Amino acid sequence: MGLTPEEWQAVQLSLVVAATAMLASLPFGVAVALLLARGRFWGKSLLDALVHLPLILPPVVTGYLLLIGFGRRGPIGQFLADTFGITLSFRWTGAALACAVMGFPLMVRAMRLSIEAVDRKLEAAAATLGASPAWVFLTVTLPLSLPGILAGMVLCFAKAMGEFGATITFVSNIPGETQTLPSAIYTLTQVPGGEAGALRLTLISIAISVAALCLSEWLARAVGRRTAEA
């Protein structure tokens, strides 16, 4: 039996939310990972703790904090609404924000480990040839750490696909607007006769996650081969 229109809507929304969360987090993830891997500054341990805090806190707490800060009456949410007309609470964009926050620690950790594995002598050699720090990063550090960056992106995407607690707390469970795969599965388990739909969506969720991991592994190997040949 095929998916119902509502189930297809949940699948499509989950893909959009997860992709948006991943792409929006990418530049910040690379910057924070580089800062933690190469930076020497006061408060580094505090920054590291803040980055990983969503992994420790219950997802519902993270969602509630987002609701306080980015809700319509929150300081950031009210500023965005009044200044730019952007509303995040109870919108799919808010779901993307919640997923990005939850997936950000996994992204940063994978990227940081990859950057730390880059031989500092190669960076130093490029610097002695007159390359600026930005050029060293673009031509040496970034290509060598690309497999870890890809892994971090996939981890963030996979986490976003499975995020439930923070999302439902921040943006609720509105069909067609904020109802992603996990919340749709939860809804189907609460209604009589919804077990078949919940099973279908569960299988789709597993298939998407496995496909993302396989794609990440293939890309990492392809990048590794090209880097070795270069």
Side-chain angles (χ1 to χ4, degrees):
M1 183 181 297
L3 296 179
T4 65
E6 292 77 13
E7 291 170 357
W8 269 118
Q9 201 169 40
V11 173
Q12 293 170 358
L13 182 61
S14 289
L15 291 172
V16 171
V17 166
T20 302
M22 177 190 67
L23 294 176
S25 300
L26 182 57
F28 300 101
V30 173
V32 173
L34 182 63
L35 190 62
L36 292 175
R38 295 288 188 256
R40 298 291 182 270
F41 57 92
W42 183 88
K44 181 178 178 180
S45 298
L46 178 60
L47 175 61
D48 190 31
L50 289 175
V51 168
H52 289 85
L53 195 59
L55 291 180
I56 302 171
L57 290 175
V60 174
V61 174
T62 301
Y64 181 65
L65 292 175
L66 288 173
L67 187 60
I68 292 175
F70 291 88
R72 294 179 180 178
R73 297 185 179 180
I76 303 176
Q78 189 171 12
F79 170 77
L80 292 175
D82 295 341
T83 307
F84 303 103
I86 299 175
T87 302
L88 295 174
S89 59
F90 308 107
R91 297 288 188 274
W92 76 268
T93 49
L97 174 62
C99 291
V101 170
M102 296 301 296
F104 192 71
L106 299 175
M107 174 182 282
V108 170
R109 183 168 182 82
M111 292 179 178
R112 178 184 179 180
L113 292 174
S114 184
I115 293 173
E116 289 177 341
V118 174
D119 191 350
R120 297 295 296 270
K121 295 179 181 179
L122 297 175
E123 297 174 332
T128 58
L129 294 175
S132 64
W135 190 247
V136 170
F137 172 74
L138 291 175
T139 59
V140 179
T141 311
L142 184 61
L144 293 177
S145 59
L146 195 54
I149 292 175
L150 293 174
M153 293 173 63
V154 172
L155 286 174
C156 182
F157 179 86
K159 177 64 176 176
M161 285 293 299
E163 177 51 40
F164 175 72
T167 303
I168 200 171
T169 304
F170 181 39
V171 298
S172 189
N173 182 13
I174 306 172
E177 181 65 37
T178 65
Q179 189 177 77
T180 56
L181 266 174
S183 55
I185 292 172
Y186 173 78
T187 299
L188 288 170
T189 61
Q190 303 303 306
V191 298
E195 293 81 4
L199 179 59
R200 289 194 296 269
L201 292 182
T202 298
L203 293 176
I204 289 177
S205 180
I206 294 173
I208 292 174
S209 298
V210 171
L213 292 173
C214 291
L215 178 62
S216 171
E217 183 68 19
W218 180 81
L219 288 174
R221 291 183 179 181
V223 171
R225 286 195 298 269
R226 291 187 60 182
T227 302
E229 292 172 358

